mmCIF file of all heavy atoms in Angstrom:
data_model
loop_
_atom_site.group_PDB
_atom_site.id
_atom_site.type_symbol
_atom_site.label_atom_id
_atom_site.label_comp_id
_atom_site.label_asym_id
_atom_site.label_seq_id
_atom_site.Cartn_x
_atom_site.Cartn_y
_atom_site.Cartn_z
ATOM 1 N N VAL H 2 221.889 96.786 183.262
ATOM 2 C CA VAL H 2 222.231 95.365 183.820
ATOM 3 C C VAL H 2 221.493 94.346 182.929
ATOM 4 O O VAL H 2 221.506 93.191 183.376
ATOM 5 C CB VAL H 2 221.739 95.295 185.364
ATOM 6 C CG1 VAL H 2 222.562 96.167 186.139
ATOM 7 C CG2 VAL H 2 220.230 95.507 185.445
ATOM 8 N N LEU H 3 220.982 94.682 181.847
ATOM 9 C CA LEU H 3 220.311 93.760 180.919
ATOM 10 C C LEU H 3 221.101 92.484 180.628
ATOM 11 O O LEU H 3 220.486 91.324 180.623
ATOM 12 C CB LEU H 3 219.781 94.443 179.597
ATOM 13 C CG LEU H 3 218.824 93.660 178.797
ATOM 14 C CD1 LEU H 3 217.715 93.117 179.457
ATOM 15 C CD2 LEU H 3 218.540 94.511 177.624
ATOM 16 N N ALA H 4 222.250 92.604 180.325
ATOM 17 C CA ALA H 4 223.096 91.429 179.895
ATOM 18 C C ALA H 4 223.201 90.416 180.997
ATOM 19 O O ALA H 4 223.398 89.267 180.790
ATOM 20 C CB ALA H 4 224.490 91.961 179.492
ATOM 21 N N ALA H 5 222.969 90.924 182.266
ATOM 22 C CA ALA H 5 223.065 90.098 183.513
ATOM 23 C C ALA H 5 221.703 90.007 184.176
ATOM 24 O O ALA H 5 221.679 90.040 185.439
ATOM 25 C CB ALA H 5 224.262 90.560 184.366
ATOM 26 N N TRP H 6 220.611 90.048 183.427
ATOM 27 C CA TRP H 6 219.276 90.129 183.990
ATOM 28 C C TRP H 6 219.046 88.987 185.023
ATOM 29 O O TRP H 6 218.203 89.153 185.835
ATOM 30 C CB TRP H 6 218.248 90.138 182.904
ATOM 31 C CG TRP H 6 218.155 88.871 181.960
ATOM 32 C CD1 TRP H 6 218.806 88.615 180.868
ATOM 33 C CD2 TRP H 6 217.361 87.698 182.305
ATOM 34 N NE1 TRP H 6 218.504 87.358 180.417
ATOM 35 C CE2 TRP H 6 217.522 86.874 181.226
ATOM 36 C CE3 TRP H 6 216.463 87.358 183.282
ATOM 37 C CZ2 TRP H 6 217.001 85.611 181.180
ATOM 38 C CZ3 TRP H 6 215.802 86.046 183.236
ATOM 39 C CH2 TRP H 6 216.206 85.180 182.208
ATOM 40 N N ARG H 7 219.553 87.766 184.753
ATOM 41 C CA ARG H 7 219.251 86.576 185.626
ATOM 42 C C ARG H 7 219.764 86.924 187.098
ATOM 43 O O ARG H 7 219.234 86.375 188.097
ATOM 44 C CB ARG H 7 219.921 85.408 185.173
ATOM 45 C CG ARG H 7 219.237 84.801 183.920
ATOM 46 C CD ARG H 7 219.968 83.558 183.399
ATOM 47 N NE ARG H 7 219.669 83.190 182.030
ATOM 48 C CZ ARG H 7 218.579 82.538 181.687
ATOM 49 N NH1 ARG H 7 217.645 82.109 182.586
ATOM 50 N NH2 ARG H 7 218.369 82.266 180.471
ATOM 51 N N GLU H 8 220.874 87.676 187.208
ATOM 52 C CA GLU H 8 221.394 88.009 188.503
ATOM 53 C C GLU H 8 220.821 89.298 189.108
ATOM 54 O O GLU H 8 221.163 89.689 190.132
ATOM 55 C CB GLU H 8 222.985 88.158 188.363
ATOM 56 C CG GLU H 8 223.652 86.881 188.138
ATOM 57 C CD GLU H 8 223.601 86.440 186.654
ATOM 58 O OE1 GLU H 8 223.542 87.255 185.795
ATOM 59 O OE2 GLU H 8 223.524 85.190 186.477
ATOM 60 N N SER H 9 220.061 90.109 188.495
ATOM 61 C CA SER H 9 219.586 91.250 188.822
ATOM 62 C C SER H 9 218.153 91.251 189.562
ATOM 63 O O SER H 9 217.297 90.678 188.916
ATOM 64 C CB SER H 9 219.614 92.419 187.665
ATOM 65 O OG SER H 9 219.035 93.643 188.183
ATOM 66 N N PRO H 10 217.887 91.978 190.526
ATOM 67 C CA PRO H 10 216.469 92.091 191.078
ATOM 68 C C PRO H 10 215.716 93.048 190.403
ATOM 69 O O PRO H 10 214.376 93.227 190.729
ATOM 70 C CB PRO H 10 216.753 92.362 192.485
ATOM 71 C CG PRO H 10 217.982 93.200 192.546
ATOM 72 C CD PRO H 10 218.895 92.596 191.575
ATOM 73 N N ALA H 11 216.187 93.722 189.331
ATOM 74 C CA ALA H 11 215.470 94.786 188.753
ATOM 75 C C ALA H 11 214.415 94.355 187.708
ATOM 76 O O ALA H 11 213.455 95.156 187.352
ATOM 77 C CB ALA H 11 216.414 95.635 187.805
ATOM 78 N N PHE H 12 214.250 93.076 187.532
ATOM 79 C CA PHE H 12 213.333 92.500 186.472
ATOM 80 C C PHE H 12 212.246 91.672 187.231
ATOM 81 O O PHE H 12 212.621 90.847 188.083
ATOM 82 C CB PHE H 12 214.032 91.549 185.534
ATOM 83 C CG PHE H 12 215.108 92.406 184.720
ATOM 84 C CD1 PHE H 12 216.452 92.503 185.193
ATOM 85 C CD2 PHE H 12 214.749 93.064 183.560
ATOM 86 C CE1 PHE H 12 217.388 93.207 184.530
ATOM 87 C CE2 PHE H 12 215.700 93.886 182.894
ATOM 88 C CZ PHE H 12 216.908 93.992 183.441
ATOM 89 N N ASP H 13 211.009 91.897 186.817
ATOM 90 C CA ASP H 13 209.919 91.228 187.371
ATOM 91 C C ASP H 13 209.749 89.730 186.718
ATOM 92 O O ASP H 13 210.439 89.483 185.707
ATOM 93 C CB ASP H 13 208.606 91.929 187.408
ATOM 94 C CG ASP H 13 208.049 92.286 185.863
ATOM 95 O OD1 ASP H 13 208.290 91.463 185.064
ATOM 96 O OD2 ASP H 13 207.474 93.285 185.874
ATOM 97 N N ALA H 14 208.773 88.994 187.173
ATOM 98 C CA ALA H 14 208.657 87.606 186.724
ATOM 99 C C ALA H 14 208.282 87.677 185.135
ATOM 100 O O ALA H 14 208.734 86.802 184.365
ATOM 101 C CB ALA H 14 207.561 86.933 187.436
ATOM 102 N N ARG H 15 207.458 88.558 184.738
ATOM 103 C CA ARG H 15 206.981 88.612 183.319
ATOM 104 C C ARG H 15 208.178 88.936 182.493
ATOM 105 O O ARG H 15 208.338 88.360 181.380
ATOM 106 C CB ARG H 15 205.840 89.637 183.238
ATOM 107 C CG ARG H 15 205.094 89.540 182.023
ATOM 108 C CD ARG H 15 203.806 90.430 182.300
ATOM 109 N NE ARG H 15 203.279 90.929 181.077
ATOM 110 C CZ ARG H 15 202.445 90.221 180.261
ATOM 111 N NH1 ARG H 15 201.984 89.052 180.597
ATOM 112 N NH2 ARG H 15 201.956 90.796 179.122
ATOM 113 N N GLU H 16 209.053 89.950 182.922
ATOM 114 C CA GLU H 16 210.166 90.237 182.093
ATOM 115 C C GLU H 16 211.212 89.158 182.023
ATOM 116 O O GLU H 16 211.704 88.843 181.027
ATOM 117 C CB GLU H 16 210.938 91.533 182.660
ATOM 118 C CG GLU H 16 210.023 92.807 182.536
ATOM 119 C CD GLU H 16 210.456 93.992 183.369
ATOM 120 O OE1 GLU H 16 211.094 93.660 184.537
ATOM 121 O OE2 GLU H 16 210.215 95.140 183.074
ATOM 122 N N ARG H 17 211.274 88.445 183.168
ATOM 123 C CA ARG H 17 212.269 87.320 183.237
ATOM 124 C C ARG H 17 211.793 86.286 182.288
ATOM 125 O O ARG H 17 212.633 85.576 181.578
ATOM 126 C CB ARG H 17 212.417 86.705 184.635
ATOM 127 C CG ARG H 17 213.106 87.645 185.518
ATOM 128 C CD ARG H 17 213.063 87.056 186.953
ATOM 129 N NE ARG H 17 213.938 88.075 187.772
ATOM 130 C CZ ARG H 17 215.268 88.149 187.784
ATOM 131 N NH1 ARG H 17 215.987 87.280 187.059
ATOM 132 N NH2 ARG H 17 215.824 88.983 188.544
ATOM 133 N N ALA H 18 210.508 85.897 182.184
ATOM 134 C CA ALA H 18 210.036 84.905 181.339
ATOM 135 C C ALA H 18 210.210 85.251 179.956
ATOM 136 O O ALA H 18 210.611 84.453 179.120
ATOM 137 C CB ALA H 18 208.580 84.665 181.607
ATOM 138 N N ALA H 19 210.014 86.518 179.516
ATOM 139 C CA ALA H 19 210.182 87.012 178.236
ATOM 140 C C ALA H 19 211.582 86.995 177.787
ATOM 141 O O ALA H 19 211.895 86.586 176.695
ATOM 142 C CB ALA H 19 209.599 88.432 178.091
ATOM 143 N N LEU H 20 212.425 87.376 178.790
ATOM 144 C CA LEU H 20 213.952 87.389 178.312
ATOM 145 C C LEU H 20 214.448 85.989 178.324
ATOM 146 O O LEU H 20 215.312 85.657 177.394
ATOM 147 C CB LEU H 20 214.678 88.166 179.447
ATOM 148 C CG LEU H 20 214.473 89.733 179.362
ATOM 149 C CD1 LEU H 20 215.058 90.370 180.686
ATOM 150 C CD2 LEU H 20 215.033 90.280 178.196
ATOM 151 N N GLY H 21 213.957 85.081 179.146
ATOM 152 C CA GLY H 21 214.347 83.691 179.025
ATOM 153 C C GLY H 21 214.007 83.067 177.720
ATOM 154 O O GLY H 21 214.699 82.305 177.052
ATOM 155 N N TRP H 22 212.721 83.352 177.258
ATOM 156 C CA TRP H 22 212.222 82.819 175.979
ATOM 157 C C TRP H 22 212.995 83.499 174.852
ATOM 158 O O TRP H 22 213.358 82.807 173.826
ATOM 159 C CB TRP H 22 210.788 83.186 175.901
ATOM 160 C CG TRP H 22 210.003 82.382 174.748
ATOM 161 C CD1 TRP H 22 209.352 83.140 173.821
ATOM 162 C CD2 TRP H 22 209.959 81.111 174.435
ATOM 163 N NE1 TRP H 22 208.822 82.167 172.796
ATOM 164 C CE2 TRP H 22 209.225 80.983 173.266
ATOM 165 C CE3 TRP H 22 210.474 79.906 175.144
ATOM 166 C CZ2 TRP H 22 209.027 79.640 172.781
ATOM 167 C CZ3 TRP H 22 210.158 78.742 174.547
ATOM 168 C CH2 TRP H 22 209.356 78.511 173.338
ATOM 169 N N ALA H 23 213.270 84.708 174.964
ATOM 170 C CA ALA H 23 214.077 85.442 173.874
ATOM 171 C C ALA H 23 215.442 84.788 173.715
ATOM 172 O O ALA H 23 215.902 84.532 172.594
ATOM 173 C CB ALA H 23 214.201 86.924 174.132
ATOM 174 N N GLU H 24 216.073 84.521 174.861
ATOM 175 C CA GLU H 24 217.451 83.893 174.809
ATOM 176 C C GLU H 24 217.280 82.479 174.184
ATOM 177 O O GLU H 24 218.172 82.049 173.414
ATOM 178 C CB GLU H 24 218.097 83.897 176.056
ATOM 179 C CG GLU H 24 218.550 85.288 176.580
ATOM 180 C CD GLU H 24 219.381 85.218 177.948
ATOM 181 O OE1 GLU H 24 219.573 84.082 178.416
ATOM 182 O OE2 GLU H 24 219.779 86.273 178.392
ATOM 183 N N ALA H 25 216.367 81.786 174.613
ATOM 184 C CA ALA H 25 216.171 80.391 174.255
ATOM 185 C C ALA H 25 216.033 80.311 172.602
ATOM 186 O O ALA H 25 216.642 79.441 171.991
ATOM 187 C CB ALA H 25 214.992 79.692 174.912
ATOM 188 N N LEU H 26 215.173 81.184 172.154
ATOM 189 C CA LEU H 26 214.807 81.263 170.754
ATOM 190 C C LEU H 26 216.089 81.728 169.871
ATOM 191 O O LEU H 26 216.291 81.373 168.789
ATOM 192 C CB LEU H 26 213.675 81.981 170.354
ATOM 193 C CG LEU H 26 212.240 81.358 170.867
ATOM 194 C CD1 LEU H 26 211.140 82.172 170.421
ATOM 195 C CD2 LEU H 26 212.169 79.969 170.491
ATOM 196 N N THR H 27 216.776 82.757 170.559
ATOM 197 C CA THR H 27 217.841 83.310 169.697
ATOM 198 C C THR H 27 219.028 82.394 169.630
ATOM 199 O O THR H 27 219.863 82.376 168.697
ATOM 200 C CB THR H 27 218.291 84.671 170.480
ATOM 201 O OG1 THR H 27 217.173 85.553 170.425
ATOM 202 C CG2 THR H 27 219.485 85.270 169.777
ATOM 203 N N ARG H 28 219.219 81.608 170.658
ATOM 204 C CA ARG H 28 220.347 80.591 170.680
ATOM 205 C C ARG H 28 219.756 79.145 170.555
ATOM 206 O O ARG H 28 220.023 78.166 171.214
ATOM 207 C CB ARG H 28 221.070 80.605 172.091
ATOM 208 C CG ARG H 28 221.655 81.909 172.379
ATOM 209 C CD ARG H 28 222.252 82.018 173.693
ATOM 210 N NE ARG H 28 223.267 83.102 173.918
ATOM 211 C CZ ARG H 28 223.335 83.784 175.042
ATOM 212 N NH1 ARG H 28 222.696 83.430 176.106
ATOM 213 N NH2 ARG H 28 224.214 84.767 174.989
ATOM 214 N N LEU H 29 218.858 79.116 169.554
ATOM 215 C CA LEU H 29 218.059 77.920 169.303
ATOM 216 C C LEU H 29 218.942 76.632 169.109
ATOM 217 O O LEU H 29 218.597 75.536 169.520
ATOM 218 C CB LEU H 29 217.119 78.096 168.107
ATOM 219 C CG LEU H 29 216.067 77.073 167.897
ATOM 220 C CD1 LEU H 29 215.087 76.931 169.161
ATOM 221 C CD2 LEU H 29 215.065 77.515 166.675
ATOM 222 N N GLU H 30 220.130 76.806 168.412
ATOM 223 C CA GLU H 30 220.910 75.620 168.224
ATOM 224 C C GLU H 30 221.411 75.138 169.392
ATOM 225 O O GLU H 30 221.767 73.966 169.438
ATOM 226 C CB GLU H 30 222.034 76.013 167.155
ATOM 227 C CG GLU H 30 223.237 76.756 167.708
ATOM 228 C CD GLU H 30 223.071 78.106 168.421
ATOM 229 O OE1 GLU H 30 222.036 78.831 168.087
ATOM 230 O OE2 GLU H 30 223.891 78.567 169.133
ATOM 231 N N ALA H 31 221.660 76.000 170.365
ATOM 232 C CA ALA H 31 222.295 75.421 171.772
ATOM 233 C C ALA H 31 221.171 75.034 172.820
ATOM 234 O O ALA H 31 221.514 74.135 173.558
ATOM 235 C CB ALA H 31 223.136 76.614 172.278
ATOM 236 N N THR H 32 220.098 75.661 172.733
ATOM 237 C CA THR H 32 218.975 75.425 173.668
ATOM 238 C C THR H 32 217.955 74.496 173.331
ATOM 239 O O THR H 32 217.301 73.840 174.111
ATOM 240 C CB THR H 32 218.349 76.755 174.042
ATOM 241 O OG1 THR H 32 217.492 77.180 173.044
ATOM 242 C CG2 THR H 32 219.300 77.800 174.463
ATOM 243 N N GLY H 33 217.497 74.455 172.052
ATOM 244 C CA GLY H 33 216.374 73.596 171.595
ATOM 245 C C GLY H 33 214.994 74.129 172.238
ATOM 246 O O GLY H 33 214.150 73.380 172.200
ATOM 247 N N ALA H 34 215.060 75.452 172.659
ATOM 248 C CA ALA H 34 213.837 75.997 173.284
ATOM 249 C C ALA H 34 213.298 74.981 174.415
ATOM 250 O O ALA H 34 212.354 74.419 174.342
ATOM 251 C CB ALA H 34 212.637 76.173 172.300
ATOM 252 N N PRO H 35 214.070 74.993 175.486
ATOM 253 C CA PRO H 35 213.778 74.020 176.601
ATOM 254 C C PRO H 35 212.417 74.257 177.138
ATOM 255 O O PRO H 35 211.901 75.350 177.363
ATOM 256 C CB PRO H 35 214.819 74.262 177.645
ATOM 257 C CG PRO H 35 215.515 75.603 177.289
ATOM 258 C CD PRO H 35 215.150 75.886 175.960
ATOM 259 N N GLN H 36 211.853 73.204 177.752
ATOM 260 C CA GLN H 36 210.582 73.173 178.379
ATOM 261 C C GLN H 36 210.540 74.166 179.612
ATOM 262 O O GLN H 36 209.542 74.783 179.720
ATOM 263 C CB GLN H 36 210.184 71.789 178.886
ATOM 264 C CG GLN H 36 208.725 71.580 179.193
ATOM 265 C CD GLN H 36 207.766 71.952 178.092
ATOM 266 O OE1 GLN H 36 207.856 71.337 176.951
ATOM 267 N NE2 GLN H 36 206.743 72.564 178.396
ATOM 268 N N ARG H 37 211.587 74.163 180.280
ATOM 269 C CA ARG H 37 211.565 75.176 181.560
ATOM 270 C C ARG H 37 211.357 76.641 181.155
ATOM 271 O O ARG H 37 210.626 77.339 181.812
ATOM 272 C CB ARG H 37 212.850 74.909 182.378
ATOM 273 C CG ARG H 37 214.023 75.531 181.740
ATOM 274 C CD ARG H 37 215.241 75.350 182.671
ATOM 275 N NE ARG H 37 216.440 75.861 181.905
ATOM 276 C CZ ARG H 37 217.107 75.112 181.021
ATOM 277 N NH1 ARG H 37 216.706 73.956 180.701
ATOM 278 N NH2 ARG H 37 218.196 75.658 180.492
ATOM 279 N N ASP H 38 211.914 76.900 180.009
ATOM 280 C CA ASP H 38 211.698 78.362 179.437
ATOM 281 C C ASP H 38 210.380 78.527 178.985
ATOM 282 O O ASP H 38 209.748 79.585 179.168
ATOM 283 C CB ASP H 38 212.720 78.716 178.362
ATOM 284 C CG ASP H 38 214.214 78.778 178.933
ATOM 285 O OD1 ASP H 38 214.314 79.279 180.087
ATOM 286 O OD2 ASP H 38 215.091 78.400 178.213
ATOM 287 N N TYR H 39 209.758 77.428 178.276
ATOM 288 C CA TYR H 39 208.411 77.633 177.801
ATOM 289 C C TYR H 39 207.453 77.691 178.970
ATOM 290 O O TYR H 39 206.463 78.394 178.998
ATOM 291 C CB TYR H 39 208.090 76.472 176.808
ATOM 292 C CG TYR H 39 206.707 76.646 176.254
ATOM 293 C CD1 TYR H 39 206.390 77.599 175.250
ATOM 294 C CD2 TYR H 39 205.634 75.993 176.844
ATOM 295 C CE1 TYR H 39 205.165 77.690 174.727
ATOM 296 C CE2 TYR H 39 204.272 76.199 176.374
ATOM 297 C CZ TYR H 39 204.057 77.084 175.299
ATOM 298 O OH TYR H 39 202.860 77.230 174.814
ATOM 299 N N ASP H 40 207.658 76.709 179.971
ATOM 300 C CA ASP H 40 206.770 76.808 181.186
ATOM 301 C C ASP H 40 206.785 78.168 181.796
ATOM 302 O O ASP H 40 205.718 78.658 182.312
ATOM 303 C CB ASP H 40 207.193 75.642 182.122
ATOM 304 C CG ASP H 40 206.922 74.325 181.541
ATOM 305 O OD1 ASP H 40 206.181 74.159 180.613
ATOM 306 O OD2 ASP H 40 207.492 73.332 182.107
ATOM 307 N N ALA H 41 207.924 78.696 181.974
ATOM 308 C CA ALA H 41 207.936 80.128 182.603
ATOM 309 C C ALA H 41 207.193 81.071 181.752
ATOM 310 O O ALA H 41 206.564 81.923 182.367
ATOM 311 C CB ALA H 41 209.562 80.533 182.765
ATOM 312 N N LEU H 42 207.318 81.032 180.452
ATOM 313 C CA LEU H 42 206.621 81.818 179.546
ATOM 314 C C LEU H 42 205.132 81.665 179.754
ATOM 315 O O LEU H 42 204.379 82.630 179.865
ATOM 316 C CB LEU H 42 207.044 81.588 178.191
ATOM 317 C CG LEU H 42 206.388 82.509 177.058
ATOM 318 C CD1 LEU H 42 206.966 83.850 177.095
ATOM 319 C CD2 LEU H 42 206.645 81.879 175.696
ATOM 320 N N ALA H 43 204.700 80.445 179.708
ATOM 321 C CA ALA H 43 203.338 80.079 179.768
ATOM 322 C C ALA H 43 202.738 80.464 181.139
ATOM 323 O O ALA H 43 201.463 80.891 181.175
ATOM 324 C CB ALA H 43 202.982 78.660 179.682
ATOM 325 N N ALA H 44 203.445 80.589 182.187
ATOM 326 C CA ALA H 44 203.061 81.045 183.531
ATOM 327 C C ALA H 44 202.787 82.441 183.620
ATOM 328 O O ALA H 44 201.937 82.978 184.403
ATOM 329 C CB ALA H 44 204.028 80.602 184.659
ATOM 330 N N GLN H 45 203.337 83.206 182.643
ATOM 331 C CA GLN H 45 203.250 84.645 182.683
ATOM 332 C C GLN H 45 202.382 85.285 181.532
ATOM 333 O O GLN H 45 202.004 86.406 181.600
ATOM 334 C CB GLN H 45 204.624 85.354 182.670
ATOM 335 C CG GLN H 45 205.474 85.053 183.890
ATOM 336 C CD GLN H 45 204.895 85.578 185.126
ATOM 337 O OE1 GLN H 45 204.292 86.705 185.103
ATOM 338 N NE2 GLN H 45 204.812 84.775 186.231
ATOM 339 N N PHE H 46 202.258 84.561 180.394
ATOM 340 C CA PHE H 46 201.791 85.131 179.200
ATOM 341 C C PHE H 46 200.607 84.197 178.702
ATOM 342 O O PHE H 46 200.711 82.917 178.640
ATOM 343 C CB PHE H 46 202.637 85.211 178.199
ATOM 344 C CG PHE H 46 203.850 86.248 178.422
ATOM 345 C CD1 PHE H 46 204.887 86.016 179.106
ATOM 346 C CD2 PHE H 46 203.607 87.655 178.006
ATOM 347 C CE1 PHE H 46 205.915 86.999 179.383
ATOM 348 C CE2 PHE H 46 204.510 88.581 178.305
ATOM 349 C CZ PHE H 46 205.676 88.223 179.021
#
């Protein structure tokens, strides 16, 4: 279910923060690494 991690209860908060940051940086041209993703990352790491 990794491709749909946002909709799955299988991932904990730390994994969600890491996956959100990974997506934000991988799609940098579209996301600009948004503050909400960084804040979620900073709350867990």
Side-chain angles (χ1 to χ4, degrees):
V2 299
L3 183 57
W6 64 269
R7 291 179 195 277
E8 290 77 33
S9 174
F12 301 91
D13 64 28
R15 199 164 151 88
E16 292 165 332
R17 290 176 177 285
L20 292 168
W22 188 240
E24 288 187 4
L26 294 184
T27 300
R28 296 178 168 143
L29 196 55
E30 83 295 341
T32 70
Q36 192 64 42
R37 72 180 176 280
D38 290 328
Y39 184 78
D40 290 345
L42 183 74
Q45 296 296 321
F46 294 90

